[in-house]
Amino acid sequence: MSKASKLRNEVSKRGIYDDFFGNKNNSSVNLSGSKSLLGSLAKSGYSYTLGTARDFIPVDSSGGIMMSGQGAEPSFMTLDSKLMQAWAYRYCMPLGAIIDKLAEADTNGILKFTDSNGYVIKNFRKIPALSRINNLFNNPNPYQTWDEFNNEQIVTAKIFGYCPVLAVRPSGMHSTYTKYMFNLNPINVTPVINREFNIIDFYDEVYDNDKSLIKEWIYSYMGRQYSFKSEDVLLVRDGIVGDCNYGGVMPVSKICGTDYWVSNIVAAMEADNVLLKKKGPLGVFSYDPKPDMAGWEPLTPTQKDELQQELGNYGLSLGQLQYIISKVPIKWNSMSFNARDLMTKETVRQGIDGLCDRFGYPAELMSGKNATYENRSSAEKFLYQSNVIPFSKRRTRVFTSFFELTEYSIILDYDHVASLQEDILRAGEASKYEAEGLEIEWKNGMITWNDWQLSRGRDSVAGMDIYYNEWLKKYGQETIKKETGK
């Protein structure tokens, strides 16, 4: 029995083949050589550690692949597949860098609670529900800190378009008593869609609250399957448009549609690697016949092998020689090749720019762009304002809804980030000028007291729909006496 066959049998005994990736309906793909979206990288011999019988998993270094059954023909799989999305993150370095940078930027947020008016609650520990949530976020599970948990959640959502979060709590207890939270890898967990759900039910006002878009989640791992209730799983979304394969319920990953960018980047990087490590023949050594020589004869196969072995001692590495000394006349015929003609650097740069556009990450923050300090500063500001902060708001609203907080909200605050400080200063100055302008209007009888407060985002007060002169008659003299003591 071959080593590959023994490996397949061993993995099969462990029951990992079909369970690890969950969805058995995924298409198969051949990742060997040029037929792969990710090039010959997929031929690496350690790929079997993923533990699956999918057709695209190589079993040796010669392009051999695991087959799912007799007569099964491997087919090309695009980045619509979760498996390929995970491989793209793993093997396409610029894509992985963009996703990791987005996660690190998001982690700068400080977790806070606000009231219904948007004001930060400083003494939240006096509110039992908020205190429990804060303790949970500080220690989401025995294996991760909040930063690690948060980072993993963002990376997962960016790769697959969503990240399911399992909340473990005592049976029958309120969601604020959740003990642990775990991010679930979409490769391992599959949603069971409620096919009876119908949007028309909302129109007919017969919607049953017990009916949800997702009935349950099936988690597969190490040959076992577990069922999680839909109310115990939060769904953090990064994608916006629904995937038709899941009835439009699950969002589509932003990696979808970047097939050519990812493939071109990997192919260009592989070409550079080959040119550096295995440049091929640089020229031809041959006898150099001279007029004074009686004649010459071709090298024998043995002589060619000996010469080839000798040439192995020469090269650009530190332990190799650079010059050849010959006892006989030898003629060198150069075989030059201009590596710039491949334009690999331009291909990679174009692919990186495309991925940055897709994920909303400023290309100026990627290496090789030669951006100035001012450009990078404005790019960082753009990153937070147009990407990180909006995404954090969507995420924290999911947690706020799960914990059923009606009077409070969970937020991530980024005001301390250096690139946003200038905007905060400008906002403070604008707020000051606005307050002074409203006060002038109030004292000149142009607006009522409640108009002033509402313009500043505060609640109105009963009986205060009065102008300044009316306020002076009613409260003015008392205020003057308190301030002056007369």
Side-chain angles (χ1 to χ4, degrees), residues 30 69 208 233 236 244 296 317 328 385 428 464:
N30 183 350
D208 186 355
V233 178
V236 175
C244 295
W296 64 278
S317 299
V328 298
Q385 292 176 339
M464 292 301 292

Side-chain angles (χ1 to χ4, degrees), residues 129-413:
L130 300 186
S131 180
R132 290 192 296 268
I133 295 173
N134 183 73
N135 293 336
L136 173 64
F137 283 154
N138 285 336
N139 298 281
N141 58 63
Y143 313 106
Q144 294 174 306
T145 64
W146 162 253
D147 288 342
E148 294 169 340
F149 173 82
N150 188 52
N151 247 338
E152 180 187 50
Q153 185 177 113
I154 298 168
V155 170
T156 302
K158 296 296 179 182
I159 295 175
F160 302 105
Y162 63 92
C163 178
V165 182
L166 174 64
V168 181
R169 55 178 165 171
S171 178
M173 299 293 287
H174 190 267
S175 55
T176 57
Y177 287 90
T178 297
K179 189 174 183 181
Y180 300 122
M181 291 188 300
F182 298 92
N183 297 314
L184 303 179
N185 193 323
I187 289 180
N188 297 80
V189 65
T190 304
V192 179
I193 307 301
N194 183 7
R195 302 296 177 182
E196 297 179 359
F197 180 86
N198 194 333
I199 195 172
I200 302 300
D201 292 341
F202 287 96
Y203 179 77
D204 294 336
E205 298 182 355
V206 295
Y207 177 69
D208 186 355
N209 290 328
D210 294 333
K211 288 183 179 181
S212 60
L213 292 170
I214 300 175
K215 287 184 177 181
E216 59 181 350
W217 294 80
I218 304 299
Y219 182 76
S220 302
Y221 183 69
M222 297 295 288
R224 296 183 180 181
Q225 286 191 342
Y226 305 89
S227 175
F228 301 140
K229 298 178 181 178
S230 59
E231 57 264 29
D232 291 332
V233 178
L234 298 76
L235 187 59
V236 175
R237 304 169 184 263
D238 178 56
I240 301 175
V241 179
D243 189 345
C244 295
N245 294 326
Y246 290 95
V249 177
M250 310 307 297
V252 176
S253 169
K254 291 179 180 177
I255 294 182
C256 294
T258 64
D259 304 62
Y260 292 112
W261 287 332
V262 170
S263 183
N264 288 349
I265 290 173
V266 174
M269 295 173 69
E270 183 179 5
D272 279 348
N273 182 262
V274 171
L275 289 173
L276 291 172
K277 295 183 64 177
K278 188 178 180 182
K279 297 177 287 295
L282 300 180
V284 177
F285 284 109
S286 61
Y287 277 111
D288 187 14
K290 298 294 182 181
D292 57 347
M293 294 181 63
W296 64 278
E297 60 182 12
L299 293 173
T300 65
T302 302
Q303 291 173 330
K304 291 180 180 179
D305 292 339
E306 292 176 354
L307 181 58
Q308 190 69 41
Q309 291 177 4
E310 286 293 327
L311 290 176
N313 296 324
Y314 300 89
L316 299 179
S317 299
L318 293 176
Q320 292 180 308
L321 302 174
Q322 279 75 47
Y323 302 98
I324 298 176
I325 301 176
S326 173
K327 294 186 295 185
V328 298
I330 292 180
K331 182 179 180 180
W332 169 252
N333 300 291
S334 178
M335 298 172 59
S336 62
F337 175 76
N338 188 358
R340 291 183 177 274
D341 291 343
L342 289 177
M343 298 185 68
T344 54
K345 303 297 186 295
E346 291 80 2
T347 298
V348 172
R349 184 71 259 171
Q350 183 185 44
I352 292 176
D353 290 345
L355 292 175
C356 286
D357 288 340
R358 185 70 176 97
F359 282 86
Y361 187 83
E364 290 80 5
L365 299 181
M366 296 292 286
S367 61
K369 199 68 176 180
N370 297 323
T372 63
Y373 174 81
E374 290 76 13
N375 288 344
R376 292 184 66 88
S377 179
S378 60
E380 288 179 0
K381 187 188 305 182
F382 172 82
L383 170 65
Y384 277 96
Q385 292 176 339
S386 64
N387 192 322
V388 174
I389 294 177
F391 179 56
S392 72
K393 287 182 178 179
R394 296 199 301 271
R395 282 202 305 136
T396 52
R397 283 169 184 164
V398 171
F399 285 99
T400 299
S401 176
F402 173 77
F403 291 117
E404 301 178 23
L405 301 178
T406 56
E407 299 180 1
Y408 311 104
S409 297
I410 302 171
I411 66 166
L412 287 172
D413 184 21

Side-chain angles (χ1 to χ4, degrees), residues 448-451 453-454 458-466 475:
T448 66
W449 189 89
N450 272 340
D451 290 336
Q453 302 308 309
L454 290 173
R458 304 186 183 98
D459 293 334
S460 61
V461 177
M464 292 301 292
D465 288 318
I466 56 179
Y475 304 103

